[in-house]
Amino acid sequence: MSACRGCGSFELRRVLDLGSVPAADHFPLASEAVDAAESSHPLAMDFCVICRLAQLADDDTVTDEPRGVEPQALKDQAADAVQRVAASDLLRGSTVTEFGSPHGGTWLPLLTERGFVPAQSNSPADVVLDCFGIMHEPDQRAAFRQRAHAMEPDGVLLLQYHSLATIVSDGQWNALRHGHFGYYSLTALVRLLGDAGLRAITAWEFDLYGGTVLIAAVRDTVRVADSSIRSVLEREQAAGIGDADGVRSLQTAADTHSNSLRDWLVERAEAGERVYAYGAASRAVALFSLADLDRTLIAGVADASPSKQGRRMPGTDIPIISPEALVATEPDNVVLTLPDLIGEVSRRYPELDGRWLIDDPAGPVKH
């Protein structure tokens, strides 16, 4: 039996089980034949009834992540976040350390513009940044302690995460993927931060990915958490994500989503329409696998990352092509696997106006 990644408890409950699917970050070359072994990796989410952390159960994959291109929506949100933190007078001191995400993107330039300099190796910093980085740590308890250790005594940890409340309420079951070990509610983070000697004092919410939260955590035990913390905690309690039963709805969402997507694609194929997708995202890997897709249903997936082009979606024969190649095919429909990209791709590829559909658990929705 596995122990909780956050508190070490064995009181884990299985809340989502996708069976065996391809590794989320291994995109084979398009010239390589599809091997059944590609789709042999178990993927499931467990929930700890002690510390309330939702977490990846086991991971038998080896990280092999082609670097993606940072979406403009993520850049814009980062700039907005830093402005909000600065307005709250929490950007104090002169040094900064960032625990980055393997997906790319950094907030360091936004801090250096404000006069901060990177802390020396193994030296504590006044500001510690973590934007979607900590979820990639298998040992969650050790990861939070590491970030606390990187802070000056009066420093601040700025930690951004995709809200479990959003994941559950929007049926975003495919946020679960190999290499992502933690799925956070503020309820769980209070315990994880507390075990590392930290406490959250304020929170900011953003629309990115349907709902993300940025928290500021400090060592100061005198400072009282403001109303934003209480507001998030109260909404989580009302949404029922503080227990395993509240999170189990993701299983139904996964089954419904994969079936509705396949049914829609079969209808389009029977009508003689050519469907492509945009965004060879890790969250699309399990979806394509569960829906049992191949290139007769989706002819190709466009992606802006040169490191993914010339490869294929894991476990399928669906090639990954450049956005320019997608435009040249003059597709009838393009399913966007990452809804946050719609503004960016609409501006960049006006030739595809009227052909975009946003992937949705109930079936693709025309934009």
Side-chain angles (χ1 to χ4, degrees):
M1 179 181 292
S2 298
C4 173
R5 299 180 185 278
C7 70
S9 165
F10 291 101
E11 295 295 323
L12 298 174
R13 303 290 183 268
R14 183 63 46 91
V15 292
L16 175 60
D17 194 336
L18 302 181
S20 294
V21 299
D25 57 12
H26 176 64
F27 294 82
L29 293 172
S31 58
E32 295 180 13
V34 179
D35 186 340
E38 290 177 27
S39 302
S40 63
H41 304 286
L43 182 59
M45 179 187 288
D46 286 341
F47 185 90
C48 177
V49 300
I50 303 300
C51 73
R52 308 296 203 279
L53 177 66
Q55 56 202 272
L56 182 65
D58 296 303
D59 191 353
D60 66 353
T61 67
V62 177
T63 300
D64 177 24
E65 188 151 11
R67 184 58 61 93
V69 175
E70 186 180 17
Q72 188 61 45
L74 195 57
K75 296 178 182 179
D76 293 342
Q77 187 271 324
D80 182 21
V82 170
Q83 280 191 326
R84 293 201 209 181
V85 176
S88 297
D89 195 30
L90 285 170
L91 290 183
R92 301 175 182 176
S94 60
T95 56
V96 59
T97 289
E98 184 174 50
F99 289 86
S101 164
H103 300 296
T106 175
W107 289 18
L108 283 179
L110 298 170
L111 271 292
T112 56
E113 288 174 2
R114 295 176 177 271
F116 284 82
V117 296
Q120 295 295 316
S121 179
N122 297 320
S123 296
D126 298 305
V127 177
V128 175
L129 303 171
D130 190 310
C131 178
F132 308 123
I134 201 165
M135 66 191 306
H136 298 89
E137 301 281 359
D139 188 336
Q140 287 285 297
R141 180 160 48 181
F144 277 88
R145 291 174 177 174
Q146 182 185 23
R147 283 148 181 78
H149 182 72
M151 296 166 54
E152 288 280 9
D154 58 351
V156 62
L157 168 65
L158 299 175
L159 187 146
Q160 179 160 307
Y161 62 96
H162 188 188
S163 167
L164 180 63
T166 294
I167 292 172
V168 172
S169 64
D170 291 356
Q172 296 179 9
W173 63 272
N174 53 348
L176 176 67
R177 53 147 289 181
H178 300 111
H180 287 185
F181 296 95
Y183 303 84
Y184 309 105
S185 64
L186 185 53
T187 302
L189 283 172
V190 167
R191 168 72 179 263
L192 289 162
L193 290 166
D195 286 347
L198 303 177
R199 60 196 304 269
I201 57 170
T202 193
W204 301 267
E205 298 180 77
F206 303 88
D207 293 334
L208 187 70
Y209 304 147
T212 59
V213 181
L214 171 66
I215 61 171
V218 298
R219 286 195 182 87
D220 182 3
T221 58
V222 176
R223 189 162 180 172
V224 177
D226 65 22
S227 61
S228 64
I229 296 292
R230 295 190 294 275
S231 177
V232 174
L233 290 172
E234 288 169 0
R235 286 203 306 277
E236 290 180 355
Q237 183 176 13
I241 63 165
D243 60 66
D245 289 340
V247 184
R248 283 198 178 97
S249 62
L250 290 175
Q251 188 69 60
T252 300
D255 298 338
T256 300
H257 191 176
S258 56
N259 289 334
S260 62
L261 177 60
R262 181 174 178 81
D263 290 346
W264 184 87
L265 289 169
V266 169
E267 290 177 1
R268 301 282 73 75
E270 291 175 345
E273 298 179 9
R274 293 174 304 117
V275 179
Y276 284 75
Y278 189 102
S282 59
R283 68 172 53 195
V285 173
L287 174 60
F288 280 32
S289 178
L290 266 62
D292 194 23
L293 304 185
D294 58 29
R295 63 190 308 171
T296 67
L297 297 177
I298 291 185
V301 179
D303 196 277
S305 172
S307 65
K308 291 184 179 179
Q309 295 163 15
R311 298 179 178 271
R312 57 177 172 80
M313 294 299 290
T316 81
D317 61 353
I318 302 172
I320 302 173
I321 61 177
S322 68
E324 292 72 26
L326 171 66
V327 172
T329 65
E330 299 185 355
D332 295 302
N333 301 287
V334 182
V335 177
L336 188 61
T337 64
L338 292 170
D340 291 280
L341 292 178
I342 188 61
E344 181 177 347
V345 297
S346 295
R347 291 189 298 272
R348 187 166 297 179
Y349 309 109
E351 306 94 330
L352 299 176
D353 282 354
R355 306 179 198 186
W356 293 107
L357 295 105
I358 295 176
D359 179 47
D360 184 85
V365 178
K366 200 79 172 180
H367 176 73

